Amino acid sequence: MSRWVALVGCFGFRNVGDDAILEVWLHDLTTYLEDVAVVVLGGDDAYLRERFPGVAFIHWRDWPKTVEAIASADLLVVAGGGLFHDYWAMEPEAFLKAPAWVGPMYYLSLIGLAKLFERPCVVTGVGIGPLRTETGRAYVREVLSWADAITVRDTGSREVLRSAGFPEPERVAVTADPVFRLPVAPAGKHPGLDEALTPPVTRPLIGVAVRNWPGYPPADQWLPELAQALQGVARRTGGTVLFLPLQAYPVHPPTDDVEAARAVGRLMRDARDVRVIERYLPPRQADALVGACDVLVAMRLHAAVLALRHGVPCISLAYDPKVRHLMVDADLDEFCFGLGDLRRDVLEQTILKVLERPEAFRRRADAYRQTAVQRTALHLEMVRSALQGDLPVRHPLSPVWARWVRQYLTRPVHPESPPTSEASDAAAVERARIQAELDRFREELCRWASIQQTRGFRLLSMYWRMTDRIRYYGRRLVSRLRWQTAPAPVPSVAEATPVPSTPETPAGLAELTPRSPDPADPRSRSTRKVYIMAYSPFDPTGQTVYLGGAERYLVELTALIREMGYEVEIYQSAQGDWFRYFYDIPVYGLDTGGQTGALNVTINEVLHRRVEPPDLTIYLDFSLAAPACFRPSIGISHGVFWDDPRFQGSTSQIMENISKIMNCIRNLDCLVSVDTPTIQWVRTVAYPLADRIVYIPNFVDPDVFRPRPPDWPKDDASVVILYPRRLYPPRGFDLLAAIVPRILAKYPHVAVSFVGQAHTPQERQTVEALAEAHPGRVRWQVLPFERMPEAYWAADITVLPTRFAEGTSLACLEAMACGNAVIATPVGGLTDLILDGYNGLLVTPRADALQAALERLIEDPDLRARLGARARETATAFSVDRWRQAWRHVLCRFLPA
């Protein structure tokens, strides 16, 4: 009797690497094991069915059959590939449910199903990471721990799993990618090789496997460098450049290597012989073509794997950490370039050098290939042990709970809680009623599907679309007419300074719940809406929430607008569409490919194309207001962001950025500036535009952020230095991190506290290394808004070593209100708050200057006390009450009562 193996991977998407993994497994299972039948769980299986006619395939969309297959299988094998990452949104609500798309949660759900049905499960040769979100780390470390055996394809994957908190890292064995076991065809014997290389190529043959990648850095930064390097190599050697598509699945850009190859080829105008293979390559043909190359430039991981199999010199482009992980394990990391570091001259010289002397590369590649083939033999041994019953099967789930969930998955009923006793007659009647409702629902769906095919339905749909379009343009026209007939214009800068009077209702961070609308009040109608266009409060995937000054500003502004009887919705740039709540504010992520950064035309176009104009649009960052802009509109400048060196390339680039900034301000009906440097800059560049600017500096609630309470535990003999910002270079994190060891070595009574999110893994590793090197004296934590006063109360000195892009910092105001001695830099709006030597110290953003100022305050407690007292006095002039009054004055011009 055959034993059934359920084989799962990212199969069926015309990806050479994943399809090669499938071919390896089908070959090994049928060749080396007896009485084994295979069912493959994957994607678009039409072309796979033609290649493997005797294999059963189940499409990922067919969830009932997927559940049935795993329930009846003798073993689940997660067959390899980079399956476990959180580039795309990890949706916990989709765990163990029919997936909306093929992603990490789909594969985790299959492991969960195996454990629900008490089936053995082995995870073999997979890639792990990156795992950037806590949701991703939590699900991967928990669900993978349920597997009965687990191997990863490289050392880097094991480290990612270990850093995610995997409970038993010693269980994780490092093997290699399963593609190393793909049988090698005799040289020149593959039937598709001559066709692909016709007409005959000129040696050297330079193979290129490039892909579209929506991440950082943008393609317009690295793609020209690659094209010019390839063109230079072709010109010097007279060789042929051959683009090999490792994935030809043109449903969206990241899976369409053919279009990526064309984009590079278009930039190689002077190259003599450039060829692009414009079709899907089966794994054996792709393998033969790579083996025929003299050198390969590989952005795709499995292109590099195929090159190492043949000993073909390979220059890899690490768009993802997995590419570098492979090259490091093969001891070939000097042939690996990050996209952000790609330079045409360096790449060209490296290709020429390896063409001239390929022996050293081939020796190391051959040594790693032999090791990889030996290691991947473990995959089949794990399967053999599991099928023979020699592999201990884990049972991580409660039997009662698992029994209940199995019933939920295999029956069309939805119990509200796990059963605690035998079902009563009433429960049986209820199940029958639910079954009847489901049957009727299915009938309605079938009837609706048949109606959709009729000519009358198509005509009616056309009418609905036309009506919606007329309604859309009507709303835009009404909005424009209302603005043209609005009362007086917004006050100028001179008259818009916050009025020092107390509003009717004081505000604070606790006031996050909107008022209940009065049905009798016309202002409570749901059509009264304010949209806020923003880059945050979530990261593009919607999985990580940012807790910075802009997000604090967003919460307070929303509370004020809601008090005026308007609903608030946030729209932000995203990677894919999603919906979230942030402090009970609805946030819609609109797919812009995950793009970020000020003055981004793509983000502006998507937000304005997919959103209809509301009663008022507020651009949380005014750089979102061009080229398109809704009316009426208010933009907010949180400081001069164009002092960032990235905006200061050539003179033409600077002038272009200035023009874009001016266009944003011109499009707006009002610009609220949190600091005076922005206003002065606008006056210098375009004086008439300054009349549109309202100066409303940032705020602090002096009742919440107050000096340390007398009963707060604090050792008076110690001195605590606080950095209350996001951990990344623009905020000067690296400046403080560089001097922390010297400060702690010189002053044994000093401790350092970092409170803020790490911007990238590099910053995370830096702060974790500091905490590990100085246990108890360096602390790192991330606090919600409500707990930030605790950070200031535990500190004596607050450090804000900003390099650029700063306004009237909320962190600075909070530290001042709590009576901390503040060290800041003369950047942006910080000079609106700090008078050097009076209520704080201003230093140049350099490590030596920062260290000197810290030593001065550490050694002089009286100076700390004087600066802290004056800082508290200054901060009261920036109270949240005055801020709310000034904003209400502006909003009333656009939002009539």
Side-chain angles (χ1 to χ4, degrees):
M1 181 177 179
S2 295
R3 294 161 296 176
W4 279 95
V5 174
L7 197 64
V8 59
C10 194
F11 312 132
F13 297 98
R14 298 185 181 273
N15 182 298
V16 170
D18 293 314
D19 290 352
I21 292 173
L22 175 61
E23 188 165 335
V24 166
W25 271 106
L26 292 178
H27 173 270
D28 287 357
L29 290 174
T30 56
T31 303
Y32 301 113
L33 299 180
E34 298 179 354
D35 299 326
V36 170
V38 180
V39 56
V40 177
L41 310 178
D44 183 6
D45 51 21
Y47 74 100
L48 293 179
R49 288 178 187 274
E50 295 178 3
R51 292 182 54 215
F52 307 105
V55 179
F57 288 88
I58 297 178
H59 197 280
W60 65 270
R61 291 186 185 276
D62 195 342
W63 190 243
K65 283 190 178 180
T66 300
V67 174
E68 181 182 350
I70 293 180
S72 58
D74 296 288
L75 172 66
L76 174 70
V77 178
V78 180
L83 306 181
F84 303 108
H85 57 79
D86 56 3
Y87 273 123
W88 328 125
M90 295 278 279
E91 299 174 343
E93 62 272 12
F95 186 60
L96 296 181
K97 295 182 180 179
W101 60 292
V102 176
M105 197 58 73
Y106 169 70
Y107 304 111
L108 293 173
S109 295
L110 298 184
I111 298 174
L113 286 176
K115 292 295 120 180
L116 276 173
F117 291 100
E118 300 179 344
R119 297 293 182 264
C121 170
V122 294
V123 178
T124 61
V126 296
I128 310 290
L131 297 173
R132 303 167 300 172
T133 66
E134 184 52 43
T135 301
R137 290 190 288 269
Y139 268 83
V140 169
R141 70 170 175 256
E142 178 63 26
V143 179
L144 287 189
S145 70
W146 299 353
D148 303 305
I150 177 171
T151 69
V152 294
R153 65 189 178 190
D154 49 57
T155 308
S157 292
R158 183 173 62 181
E159 291 306 312
V160 172
L161 201 53
R162 187 195 306 273
S163 64
F166 190 75
E168 301 171 275
E170 66 279 359
R171 289 182 56 220
V172 182
V174 177
T175 55
D177 196 287
V179 175
F180 278 101
R181 292 183 62 83
L182 186 70
V184 179
K189 298 298 184 182
H190 193 278
L193 189 59
D194 292 338
E195 177 190 350
L197 300 182
T198 301
V201 299
T202 305
R203 295 290 177 173
L205 179 57
I206 306 156
V208 184
V210 69
R211 68 167 301 176
N212 281 314
W213 183 243
Y216 182 85
D220 57 4
Q221 176 177 326
W222 60 267
L223 194 143
E225 301 289 330
L226 172 62
Q228 294 304 312
L230 293 172
Q231 182 171 272
V233 172
R235 186 170 53 245
R236 289 196 181 192
T237 63
T240 298
V241 178
L242 178 66
F243 286 92
L244 308 172
L246 268 283
Q247 187 169 26
Y249 193 68
V251 294
H252 64 120
T255 60
D256 187 2
D257 290 7
V258 174
E259 182 54 39
R262 289 172 182 157
V264 180
R266 284 192 291 267
L267 298 176
M268 300 173 60
R269 300 184 183 91
D270 298 333
R272 185 176 60 86
D273 190 3
V274 177
R275 306 185 190 182
V276 178
I277 297 178
E278 300 188 349
R279 58 182 174 81
Y280 168 71
L281 293 172
R284 295 292 186 94
Q285 185 176 359
D287 182 56
L289 284 169
V290 170
C293 292
D294 296 292
V295 67
L296 181 73
V297 178
M299 189 171 174
R300 285 280 186 180
L301 171 74
H302 282 102
V305 171
L306 296 177
L308 293 178
R309 277 167 39 85
H310 293 278
V312 173
C314 172
I315 311 299
S316 63
L317 307 181
Y319 75 95
D320 181 288
K322 64 185 179 183
V323 180
R324 189 172 297 278
H325 292 167
L326 170 67
M327 300 301 281
V328 168
D329 278 8
D331 193 25
L332 294 165
D333 51 307
E334 69 264 34
F335 299 100
C336 185
F337 294 88
L339 293 184
D341 304 324
L342 200 60
R343 298 294 179 268
R344 65 189 70 180
D345 53 343
V346 178
L347 180 59
E348 180 181 340
Q349 290 302 318
T350 303
I351 297 173
L352 292 171
K353 185 182 299 183
V354 79
L355 276 172
E356 182 181 355
R357 297 180 179 178
E359 296 80 12
F361 186 100
R362 286 174 177 159
R363 282 196 301 270
R364 280 187 269 176
D366 187 61
Y368 180 69
R369 179 187 61 79
Q370 295 180 30
T371 302
V373 172
Q374 294 171 2
R375 288 177 176 178
T376 51
L378 178 62
H379 300 165
L380 192 62
E381 289 304 314
M382 291 165 52
V383 172
R384 192 195 310 272
S385 298
L387 290 175
Q388 292 175 350
D390 297 334
L391 184 68
V393 179
R394 295 184 158 228
H395 301 281
L397 307 177
S398 162
V400 175
W401 186 84
R403 211 164 36 244
W404 174 70
V405 177
R406 286 200 297 269
Q407 175 187 356
Y408 175 88
L409 290 170
T410 56
R411 299 182 185 178
V413 295
H414 302 277
E416 296 183 357
S417 59
T420 57
S421 62
E422 294 295 323
S424 62
D425 293 340
V429 171
E430 178 64 13
R431 285 197 298 271
R433 186 189 67 79
I434 294 175
Q435 180 64 60
E437 289 289 338
L438 287 173
D439 291 340
R440 283 196 294 271
F441 180 65
R442 291 192 187 96
E443 292 174 4
E444 290 295 329
L445 285 178
C446 292
R447 188 178 298 113
W448 178 248
S450 63
I451 290 174
Q452 286 180 307
Q453 304 304 317
T454 64
R455 182 171 181 272
F457 179 85
R458 291 195 294 270
L459 291 173
L460 188 59
S461 298
M462 186 183 302
Y463 166 76
W464 286 337
R465 288 194 296 270
M466 187 180 300
T467 302
D468 287 343
R469 197 160 185 80
I470 292 172
R471 186 181 297 113
Y472 166 73
Y473 283 112
R475 277 196 292 265
R476 295 197 65 172
L477 180 61
V478 170
S479 175
R480 187 174 295 276
L481 289 174
R482 183 171 61 242
W483 163 242
Q484 290 177 350
T485 58
V490 179
S492 64
V493 174
E495 62 182 84
T497 304
V499 181
S501 60
T502 304
E504 298 177 0
T505 305
L509 285 178
E511 293 182 315
L512 301 178
T513 305
R515 293 181 176 181
S516 301
D518 180 4
D521 187 347
R523 293 182 302 174
S524 66
R525 293 175 299 176
S526 61
T527 56
R528 296 164 61 90
K529 289 187 176 181
V530 173
Y531 291 169
I532 299 179
M533 305 293 187
Y535 296 111
S536 56
F538 291 92
D539 76 327
T541 68
Q543 296 301 312
T544 300
V545 63
Y546 295 134
L547 299 174
E551 291 72 40
R552 177 84 61 86
Y553 200 101
L554 187 59
V555 170
E556 289 291 344
L557 184 58
T558 297
L560 179 60
I561 295 170
R562 284 174 167 175
E563 285 182 7
M564 300 178 67
Y566 286 78
E567 298 179 8
V568 176
E569 294 177 1
I570 301 172
Y571 292 87
Q572 74 158 83
S573 171
Q575 179 73 56
D577 289 347
W578 44 257
F579 174 76
R580 301 285 186 272
Y581 277 98
F582 174 73
Y583 280 74
D584 93 344
I585 311 168
V587 181
Y588 295 87
L590 301 184
D591 187 10
T592 62
Q595 297 193 41
T596 58
L599 304 175
N600 189 301
V601 175
T602 301
I603 298 176
N604 173 273
E605 189 274 333
V606 171
L607 293 179
H608 290 82
R609 173 169 49 84
R610 299 187 57 189
V611 178
E612 296 183 3
D615 295 275
L616 173 65
T617 303
I618 296 178
Y619 297 88
L620 191 66
D621 189 312
F622 80 96
S623 66
L624 283 167
C629 182
F630 289 144
R631 306 289 297 274
S633 59
I634 301 173
I636 304 174
S637 170
H638 295 278
V640 175
F641 63 81
W642 50 99
D643 59 350
D644 185 332
R646 290 176 297 179
F647 291 94
Q648 300 170 6
S650 62
T651 302
S652 61
Q653 181 184 358
I654 294 174
M655 297 307 297
E656 181 183 357
N657 288 330
I658 291 176
S659 176
K660 289 179 179 179
I661 293 167
M662 292 298 99
N663 288 338
C664 291
I665 299 175
R666 289 188 185 97
N667 286 348
L668 294 165
D669 299 307
C670 171
L671 175 65
V672 171
S673 176
V674 305
D675 64 359
T676 58
T678 299
I679 302 170
Q680 300 304 330
W681 183 88
V682 173
R683 281 201 176 107
T684 303
V685 177
Y687 188 89
L689 287 181
D691 291 339
R692 301 188 184 199
I693 304 178
V694 178
Y695 173 48
I696 304 180
N698 278 333
F699 58 86
V700 65
D701 189 337
D703 295 328
V704 174
F705 293 90
R706 61 188 188 278
R708 183 186 307 130
D711 58 347
W712 187 260
K714 172 70 168 66
D715 182 5
D716 293 336
S718 66
V719 175
V720 176
I721 301 169
L722 172 66
Y723 174 92
R725 315 293 301 273
R726 186 177 301 173
L727 278 56
Y728 76 135
R731 294 289 175 260
F733 163 73
D734 55 321
L735 297 178
L736 180 59
I739 66 173
V740 162
R742 299 197 293 268
I743 291 290
L744 296 183
K746 186 173 182 179
Y747 302 100
H749 64 295
V750 171
V752 180
S753 176
F754 294 94
V755 179
Q757 293 169 301
H759 187 63
T760 67
Q762 180 179 352
E763 282 81 30
R764 183 187 187 95
Q765 292 168 7
T766 300
V767 72
E768 287 177 345
L770 285 173
E772 184 177 352
H774 307 280
R777 299 186 66 192
V778 175
R779 296 185 294 273
W780 175 45
Q781 58 184 332
V782 179
L783 296 177
F785 298 150
E786 298 81 2
R787 293 188 56 194
M788 281 306 296
E790 301 173 16
Y792 298 108
W793 293 341
D796 302 281
I797 303 169
T798 293
V799 180
L800 305 166
T802 303
R803 280 194 171 95
F804 46 80
E806 186 67 273
T808 45
S809 164
L810 285 169
C812 183
L813 284 168
E814 291 164 359
M816 295 171 71
C818 290
N820 287 178
V822 176
I823 299 176
T825 54
V827 175
L830 289 173
T831 56
D832 289 345
L833 307 177
I834 300 294
L835 183 62
D836 186 32
Y838 177 75
N839 57 0
L841 299 180
L842 292 177
V843 299
T844 56
R846 295 199 320 268
D848 57 341
L850 181 60
Q851 181 174 346
L854 278 171
E855 292 179 353
R856 179 183 175 189
L857 290 183
I858 291 170
E859 296 171 0
D860 193 342
D862 292 336
L863 177 60
R864 293 201 306 267
R866 287 197 304 273
L867 294 178
R870 292 168 181 165
R872 166 68 182 179
E873 180 183 2
T874 303
T876 58
F878 296 86
S879 71
V880 68
D881 293 341
R882 298 181 65 179
W883 177 85
R884 289 164 64 86
Q885 183 71 7
W887 255 107
R888 186 179 285 108
H889 183 65
V890 172
L891 291 171
C892 285
R893 299 289 183 178
F894 301 96
L895 299 177

